[in-house]
Amino acid sequence: MFDALTKSAARNIFYGGSLAFLLIFVSLTAQSHFYVVQKSTAHAPLTESVARGKAVWEKHACIDCHTILGEGAYYAPEIGNVFVRFGGDKNPAEARDAIKGWIQAQPTGIPGRRQMPHFDLSAQDLDDLVDFFAWVGKIDTQNWPPKVSG
Ligand code: HEC
């Protein structure tokens, strides 16, 4: 101990330090609440169809070939941004039909091109999948993946 550190100086350091860290804690909490949460999906609440679409995605193990938000296999394009890549932010109805049409048209059989198998999905499955893709597309990924197709 320094001789110079009096009891009251030690107490002031204790109270000052506690107050400083309390202020940092409160401001980070406020930042999470007002800034981070708004950029998350809190503004895009889950709907039944989004949840069902995720279940279709899992049931057919689409992730065995695709990534979603960078997570998954690197055989086929990223799916997290597929709705936006198909123009869903500008024309959602057209993007919806295009994605469903694409899935139904597989495999293309084009030589030299990676193939996606045909999945026997109901009209409901396809609609739910697209709702799921549209929802995932709203997540702010801070520009991940760096290459749009993953
Ligand atoms: C065996 C691997 C494989 C599986 C499993 C698979 N896909 Fe694909 N998928 C591909 C490939 C390869 C492509 C790209 C083909 C091309 O560009 O010609 C593709 C492309 C797509 C595209 C278009 C993406 C784009 O950016 O153009 C969508 C949408 C899609 N898949 C959805 C699905 C869904 C939904 C499932 C699950 C039901 C699924 N895929 C399962 C291989 C797969």
Side-chain angles (χ1 to χ4, degrees):
M1 265 294 183
F2 302 114
D3 287 340
L5 191 63
T6 60
K7 218 172 175 181
S8 73
R11 190 190 56 217
N12 289 344
I13 289 170
F14 171 75
Y15 283 129
S18 301
L19 187 68
F21 283 102
L22 186 71
L23 286 176
I24 293 173
F25 175 72
V26 169
S27 54
L28 286 177
T29 305
Q31 195 237 12
S32 307
H33 191 72
F34 294 111
Y35 179 71
V36 181
V37 171
Q38 275 178 18
K39 296 195 101 200
S40 77
T41 52
H43 61 284
L46 278 173
T47 61
E48 300 258 308
S49 63
V50 171
R52 283 197 306 267
K54 180 171 183 280
V56 175
W57 169 262
E58 284 165 359
K59 180 174 167 207
H60 296 282
C62 312
I63 208 162
D64 282 358
C65 292
H66 290 275
T67 49
I68 189 154
L69 305 181
E71 201 57 45
Y74 289 88
Y75 181 72
E78 164 70 30
I79 285 295
N81 56 18
V82 77
F83 191 71
V84 177
R85 275 192 287 115
F86 273 65
D89 46 350
K90 292 177 200 83
N91 192 338
E94 220 166 78
R96 166 171 289 272
D97 287 344
I99 293 175
K100 292 199 293 186
W102 163 276
I103 294 173
Q104 286 171 307
Q106 303 309 306
T108 57
I110 300 171
R113 205 175 160 114
R114 292 183 184 178
Q115 295 297 309
M116 169 162 150
H118 186 77
F119 290 93
D120 209 8
L121 300 171
S122 67
Q124 168 95 64
D125 285 349
L126 288 165
D127 273 327
D128 292 344
L129 264 178
V130 178
D131 280 351
F132 174 55
F133 295 162
W135 183 84
V136 172
K138 288 189 192 136
I139 297 174
D140 179 5
T141 59
Q142 306 191 5
N143 297 328
W144 186 266
K147 191 171 158 244
V148 282
S149 56

